[in-house]
Amino acid sequence: MRSGGSGGQVLSSDDQAKLPHREKNATIPAKDRDMGSALRSIYQQTIEEKIPDEMLLLLGKLD
């Protein structure tokens, strides 16, 4: 295993072979599905949030 440029890890084919095999049709437990849905909802709300004018002014000064 080696580190990627952004701090993540890149798995080599040898490392991937060591991972437990997951079936393609494995069911996702309800609590995991609900957690994923909640996280997607929060993410969507965050990216749709308006950027405050004060922040835009500060960012404009960086140019």
Side-chain angles (χ1 to χ4, degrees), residues 32-56:
D32 290 344
R33 188 177 50 248
D34 293 345
M35 178 65 74
S37 179
L39 290 171
R40 282 188 293 278
S41 175
I42 291 169
Y43 175 78
Q44 189 64 38
Q45 291 172 13
T46 301
I47 61 172
E48 291 175 354
E49 189 174 312
K50 183 181 179 296
I51 299 172
D53 292 334
E54 295 85 10
M55 180 65 74
L56 292 174

Side-chain angles (χ1 to χ4, degrees), residues 7-19:
Q9 296 178 341
V10 178
L11 298 177
S12 70
S13 58
D14 291 336
D15 292 330
Q16 289 176 357
K18 295 175 188 173
L19 295 175

